[in-house]
Amino acid sequence: MPNTVCSPTRKKKPKKSTRISDKQEETIAEAQRFFEAGTQLSIKEVAKKFSVPYQTLRRRIKGETKPKKLAHEHQQLLTEAEEQVLVKWGKYLGRMARPFNKRTIRPKVLDILRARGHDVQDNTGLDPKRAQAFNYSTVSHHFALLKSTMEEKDIPWDNVYNMDEKGIQLGGGRKGSQVKYFFDVDDKMMYRLQSDDLELVTIIDCVCADGTSVIRPCFVFSGVKKAEEWFHVDDKILIASSTNGWTDDEIGFEWFKRVFVPQAKERNTSGKPILLIYDGHGSHTLESWAEHGFENDIVLYCLPPHTTHRLQPLDVGCFGPLQKAWFQRCDDIMNETGSGMEIRDVVKEYMAARTKSFTERNTLTAWRKSGIRPLDPDLFTEADFAPSYASSTIMHVPPSFPQKLP
């Protein structure tokens, strides 16, 4: 084997960065002020004295260039001075544990622009049970059964409802709203005031396929004490209590009997049957529901188990905006008062968040995305059913896969 000789290669020197740091900018500005104050030194001598690039200092003094913070100032909403004011205010609020986020910083920017005379206007992992349950066979059977039920009973869309439970916490919830906040880069302790009240309140709520949400909810509080304010919001709302703040068989049936049935029948102008779509929660599947529904010409339709994340309108497009609105309101109250949501204000504040989030647009979109209105069995594609293939007894292969193997 012949000997080989490897000649050493010279390492290339890394290129010096031409970007001027903030500290260098301060030094260049200081040198410029020194020269413009009337010194006898030349620009070159001043550049040498302050250890700054001669050409950069010369162009700055002659007005040919600007500092990087001012170079694009004409393209920005705020001037450099206005930004500095906002930054200082943001640092102060961060140290006070009340930091800015994208939602709360916007009004401050608009206030600055108005003061200047501008006319301005203001995914998670999938549960294995859900992955297995949401399959083509189950979903196809669901749509076929729902279609035959509505056609057989001649049920109009304004007589179709969906009900479910929603849990809220007085502190807004631990998961929060995924809002990011602004802090000073030098702050080591980055905290934000947030209520730690985890007291649970369960709400039984309902929406209609015509885009409305006129059926009143039921509030389930924990304990036996009641607040007078709960009963002043709407006398058609049902207030209940349990030991842990969860709904149970009795409470669920009381809402169905005392709230849903009379209110749904009151707005039933066609005189045709009413359809209530619900999930398989134990409190919804009692004989008492079926008997009372039969007596009042109400058809109960239970969704397939573990599919509500795709097939139940409330889960698909209503409870998400509602949770966001609720968290923001809890956050606003904390910032305004320094304390969390009071239990006596829950009904009033929830109804306000509900009005904001249960809009006709959101509700109709939720019914459409769940494939119910309009009835659309083809809404879900092969990609939607793909997570169920791992537990399927049928082989799923690409269309190009040969039908017969050699």
Side-chain angles (χ1 to χ4, degrees):
M1 180 176 179
N3 294 330
T4 58
V5 178
C6 296
S7 60
T9 57
R10 292 185 178 181
K11 292 184 178 180
K12 293 183 178 180
K13 293 183 179 180
K15 293 183 179 180
K16 292 184 177 180
S17 174
T18 57
R19 183 179 180 183
I20 300 175
S21 67
D22 291 341
K23 188 174 182 179
Q24 288 175 318
E25 284 286 5
E26 293 176 3
T27 307
I28 293 172
E30 185 181 355
Q32 184 176 352
R33 289 193 295 269
F34 179 82
F35 180 82
E36 293 175 347
T39 180
Q40 298 297 320
L41 300 177
S42 65
I43 297 178
K44 182 176 290 188
E45 291 171 331
V46 172
K48 185 176 181 181
K49 176 180 176 65
F50 285 87
S51 300
V52 297
Y54 163 67
Q55 292 296 341
T56 301
L57 180 60
R58 184 185 67 80
R59 287 194 291 267
R60 292 284 175 85
I61 292 173
K62 292 183 176 295
E64 296 175 359
T65 60
K66 294 181 180 180
K68 62 179 181 178
K69 289 185 177 180
L70 302 178
H72 300 282
E73 192 174 50
H74 65 286
Q75 299 173 325
Q76 301 172 184
L77 281 176
L78 303 182
T79 64
E80 171 64 16
E82 291 168 341
E83 279 192 357
Q84 288 304 313
V85 171
L86 196 62
V87 167
K88 290 178 181 178
W89 184 244
K91 290 180 179 179
Y92 169 76
L93 290 179
R95 289 191 290 269
M96 295 294 291
R98 295 183 178 182
F100 278 142
N101 59 49
K102 287 192 292 186
R103 180 175 61 89
T104 57
I105 199 174
R106 176 181 169 82
K108 305 297 183 186
V109 174
L110 296 179
D111 287 342
I112 293 175
L113 293 175
R114 291 191 186 102
R116 204 203 299 161
H118 284 247
D119 183 19
V120 291
Q121 306 294 327
D122 190 29
N123 300 319
T124 59
L126 184 62
D127 186 294
K129 291 182 179 178
R130 290 186 170 184
Q132 182 177 354
F134 192 78
N135 56 73
Y136 179 80
S137 299
T138 300
V139 174
S140 297
H141 179 263
H142 152 68
F143 280 114
L145 181 59
L146 181 58
K147 181 180 180 181
S148 64
T149 301
M150 292 189 65
E151 290 179 349
E152 180 183 339
K153 302 289 185 180
D154 191 24
I155 301 174
W157 286 115
D158 53 2
N159 277 11
V160 178
Y161 298 88
N162 174 222
M163 63 85 61
D164 195 17
E165 293 88 4
K166 167 67 178 172
I168 60 172
Q169 292 175 331
L170 267 63
R174 276 286 178 254
K175 290 185 179 179
S177 61
Q178 307 301 317
V179 174
K180 295 182 179 180
Y181 295 87
F182 299 99
F183 290 92
D184 183 359
V185 68
D186 297 323
D187 281 352
K188 303 301 181 184
M189 308 294 287
M190 294 183 287
Y191 295 112
R192 181 179 66 88
L193 285 179
Q194 181 178 1
S195 173
D196 60 355
D197 195 337
L198 302 181
E199 183 171 349
L200 177 71
V201 179
T202 302
I203 295 99
I204 303 175
D205 221 327
C206 183
V207 291
C208 181
D210 64 1
T212 61
S213 54
V214 296
I215 304 297
R216 306 307 196 277
C218 168
F219 291 81
V220 186
F221 294 91
S222 60
V224 295
K225 293 184 179 180
K226 292 181 174 60
E228 184 180 351
E229 289 82 356
W230 297 345
F231 303 92
H232 294 168
V233 179
D234 189 333
D235 57 6
K236 292 185 177 181
I237 291 174
L238 180 64
I239 304 294
S241 62
S242 66
T243 55
N244 52 15
W246 298 350
T247 185
D248 55 28
D249 297 348
E250 183 180 357
I251 293 174
F253 180 64
E254 285 299 310
W255 173 83
F256 179 64
K257 181 177 67 175
R258 295 170 54 182
V259 177
F260 178 78
V261 172
Q263 293 181 20
K265 290 179 69 175
E266 182 182 357
R267 65 188 305 265
N268 182 10
T269 57
S270 65
K272 296 180 179 180
I274 296 169
L275 178 66
L276 178 60
I277 300 173
Y278 61 98
D279 61 24
H281 191 279
S283 62
H284 309 160
T285 56
L286 301 175
E287 291 184 5
S288 55
W289 283 65
E291 292 174 358
H292 195 68
F294 180 78
E295 293 171 0
N296 291 274
D297 204 15
I298 295 175
V299 180
L300 301 177
Y301 181 89
C302 183
L303 291 166
H306 307 300
T307 62
T308 56
H309 63 296
R310 302 301 300 270
L311 301 180
Q312 178 156 257
L314 279 168
D315 284 342
V316 171
C318 295
F319 282 159
L322 175 62
Q323 178 62 35
K324 184 178 180 180
W326 175 255
F327 181 87
Q328 286 185 356
R329 186 55 190 145
C330 291
D331 205 31
D332 290 342
I333 289 175
M334 172 58 73
N335 289 329
E336 293 167 6
T337 66
S339 58
M341 175 84 68
E342 296 284 349
I343 189 69
R344 65 171 181 264
D345 297 325
V346 167
V347 175
K348 178 186 69 174
E349 296 295 350
Y350 176 87
M351 294 304 290
R354 183 181 188 266
T355 300
K356 182 179 179 180
S357 53
F358 281 16
T359 62
E360 181 179 1
R361 179 180 179 181
N362 283 350
T363 305
L364 289 176
T365 300
W367 285 93
R368 178 177 56 80
K369 286 186 175 181
S370 59
I372 298 179
R373 183 180 186 186
L375 278 171
D376 186 6
D378 299 323
L379 174 68
F380 302 106
T381 64
E382 186 175 352
D384 297 310
F385 299 124
S388 69
Y389 292 168
S391 57
S392 176
T393 57
I394 303 174
M395 184 172 67
H396 297 271
V397 295
S400 59
F401 197 84
Q403 299 297 315
K404 293 183 179 181
L405 296 176

